[in-house]
Amino acid sequence: MLDTAGRFAYNEDHEMFRDSVRKVFAEHMEPNLDKHEEEGIVPREAWKALGEAGMLCPTVSEENGGLGLDFGFNCVLAEELSYMGSSAGFTLQNDITVNYFERLGSDVQKAKYLPGMISGDIITAIAMTEPGTGSDLQGIKTTAIEDGNHLVINGSKTYITNGQNADVVIVVAKTDPSAGAKGTSLVLVDAGTPGFERGRNLDKIGQHAADTSELFFQDVRVPKTNILGSEGRGFIHLMEELPQERLSIAVGAQAGAQRAFDEAVKFTKDRKAFGSTVFEFQNTKFTLADLQAKLQVGWAHLDWAIARHLRGELTTDEASSAKLWHTEMQWEMVDACLQLHGGAGYMNEYPIARLWRDARVQRIYGGTSEIMKEVISRSI
């Protein structure tokens, strides 16, 4: 169990919510973790269970049918999900896509999508990355060209989280290919729209429970009213959401690192070698001591970043710094903790193996570590 003693980002309501999250996860997620990994997807029943418990999109305002809670409640769920060792796509919907709908959506769009997102009946995805473009969102090739009162979408996307489950996708496309970044818009495409096809559920190194897909758009016609936010301001809309997205990744990274450390402590105290436990060797104790110091610093910094974000003060470069530091620390942590398991660490039956392979992509998605350094350097 994740130890939250001494945390200062949360209040009593957050911790009560944490207790509820643990109960729902214990019933609907933990017994099925291996099944989710094997099937490469988290079933809709789990989404519904979280929705019924008020754990999907808790920040949506009461006016729009939500609970009107602060982002700290999202962080609680993200911590518990990561500590449990699941890569389910709940945090994408909670921390990223719902903000686009609530902040940018028309009254019609909000009424159509938000209630289902809250209940778990509607699962969302956002399609940014393309086969030829990763972190360079200005280089996307997918187009959404005006044709009367409609847009005609052509292109392809890849590495899309919730791609198999998604009922609606926010597609990043060029409505004016000649205008560069200023010609980018966000366009909603519902599942089942003619010409919209899902590719395979991609075979990844880790995060097997997350359905991550290719998406294809061939002459997909949608009404111009499917534009989310302002036409031509899609790139700006994406940039506005980056601090919360990167903080969300940092939250998961810190909790995942803590779980890896806890697994290593438990294993080294149980495993015997040369007449004593592995924990008693000086190398083990010194390694764990160094890792614990990094975790202490990490939790203090994370609470600072969460509190700052709740006040609306977290900047893009600060969020990028958090994403960079916590994901790099997580990788150092999981790799060292796997090493402390010895050969057992390479066996999938031990949790550390899943924690290790799931951590690798954290330094890539949401902007690579190299891109984070570029963003941070611009503020210096």
Side-chain angles (χ1 to χ4, degrees):
M1 182 181 295
L2 187 60
D3 183 5
T4 61
R7 302 286 301 278
F8 61 85
Y10 302 126
N11 58 36
E12 186 177 340
D13 290 337
H14 291 119
E15 294 307 328
M16 288 174 62
F17 183 74
R18 189 185 299 274
D19 289 339
S20 298
V21 169
R22 286 173 175 171
K23 290 174 183 175
V24 172
F25 281 0
E27 180 178 355
H28 297 282
M29 293 295 293
E30 288 181 30
N32 301 306
L33 287 180
D34 290 339
K35 182 181 179 183
H36 297 166
E37 290 273 303
E38 291 163 7
E39 296 180 351
I41 197 167
V42 175
R44 302 183 77 91
E45 294 77 35
W47 285 82
K48 285 283 291 178
L50 263 70
E52 290 171 5
M55 294 171 187
L56 290 179
C57 310
T59 58
V60 172
S61 67
E62 294 182 23
E63 176 188 351
N64 288 315
L67 296 175
L69 303 177
D70 64 50
F71 184 70
F73 290 85
N74 290 33
C75 294
V76 167
L77 187 138
E79 287 176 5
E80 293 298 326
L81 186 71
S82 183
Y83 190 82
M84 180 175 58
S86 173
S87 55
F90 306 135
T91 53
L92 176 78
Q93 185 142 312
N94 281 5
D95 302 352
I96 301 173
T97 59
V98 74
N99 270 26
Y100 288 99
F101 283 94
E102 185 166 34
R103 187 170 63 86
L104 304 173
S106 65
D107 290 341
V108 172
Q109 290 168 341
K110 290 177 185 179
K112 180 178 180 181
Y113 297 109
L114 285 177
M117 292 173 69
I118 293 166
S119 68
D121 290 302
I122 292 178
I123 298 173
T124 58
I126 183 165
M128 302 185 201
T129 305
E130 297 182 357
T133 60
S135 296
D136 180 18
L137 294 177
Q138 298 186 58
I140 63 169
K141 304 297 184 185
T142 298
T143 57
I145 304 302
E146 184 177 341
D147 182 18
N149 292 325
H150 287 75
L151 297 171
V152 180
I153 305 171
N154 282 284
S156 61
K157 300 289 184 176
T158 194
Y159 312 145
I160 307 305
T161 300
N162 292 344
Q164 296 292 314
N165 261 334
D167 299 291
V168 60
V169 181
I170 303 171
V171 180
V172 183
K174 291 287 181 64
T175 44
D176 183 357
S178 66
K182 293 181 179 179
T184 304
S185 300
L186 307 180
V187 184
L188 300 177
V189 178
D190 292 312
T193 303
F196 169 38
E197 301 289 342
R198 307 174 204 266
R200 59 199 172 99
N201 196 354
L202 297 170
D203 183 14
K204 308 183 296 294
I205 290 175
Q207 298 207 355
H208 296 153
D211 54 309
T212 308
S213 310
E214 300 169 312
L215 303 178
F216 302 100
F217 306 89
Q218 184 172 355
D219 294 329
V220 176
R221 292 180 64 85
V222 299
K224 284 191 68 177
T225 52
N226 277 32
I227 290 177
L228 188 60
S230 301
E231 183 174 353
R233 290 182 61 84
F235 188 75
I236 293 172
H237 293 328
L238 292 170
M239 295 304 102
E240 290 167 343
E241 292 300 326
L242 282 179
Q244 183 161 298
E245 177 181 352
R246 289 173 178 165
L247 176 59
S248 173
I249 295 171
V251 170
Q254 180 69 27
Q258 184 68 59
R259 175 65 187 276
F261 177 83
D262 293 348
E263 289 296 322
V265 170
K266 182 171 67 173
F267 182 87
T268 56
K269 287 187 174 182
D270 287 342
R271 181 58 61 97
K272 295 285 182 66
F274 303 104
S276 65
T277 64
V278 173
F279 179 80
E280 290 303 320
F281 298 137
Q282 186 182 67
N283 178 70
T284 303
K285 289 191 287 187
F286 279 19
T287 298
L288 289 171
D290 182 57
L291 296 177
Q292 179 160 289
K294 289 183 171 67
L295 283 168
Q296 179 179 316
V297 171
W299 284 118
H301 175 263
L302 188 67
D303 278 4
W304 171 87
I306 292 171
R308 192 161 169 76
H309 184 57
L310 291 177
R311 295 194 301 269
E313 298 173 358
L314 189 70
T315 64
T316 297
D317 57 282
E318 289 170 346
S320 299
S321 295
K323 198 263 183 190
L324 172 67
W325 192 89
H326 287 275
T327 58
E328 291 288 342
M329 184 274 289
Q330 180 189 21
W331 181 249
E332 177 187 354
M333 186 74 57
V334 295
D335 197 58
C337 291
L338 188 149
Q339 187 73 16
L340 289 173
H341 278 70
Y346 209 63
M347 300 297 112
N348 283 324
E349 65 186 274
Y350 288 90
I352 190 63
R354 180 183 300 167
L355 293 163
W356 181 84
R357 64 176 182 262
D358 285 359
R360 185 59 187 87
V361 75
Q362 295 270 74
R363 297 154 64 206
I364 297 174
Y365 61 20
T368 64
S369 289
E370 291 73 24
I371 292 295
M372 295 304 96
K373 292 174 183 178
E374 177 67 25
V375 172
I376 297 163
S377 71
R378 294 171 187 169
S379 70
I380 297 173

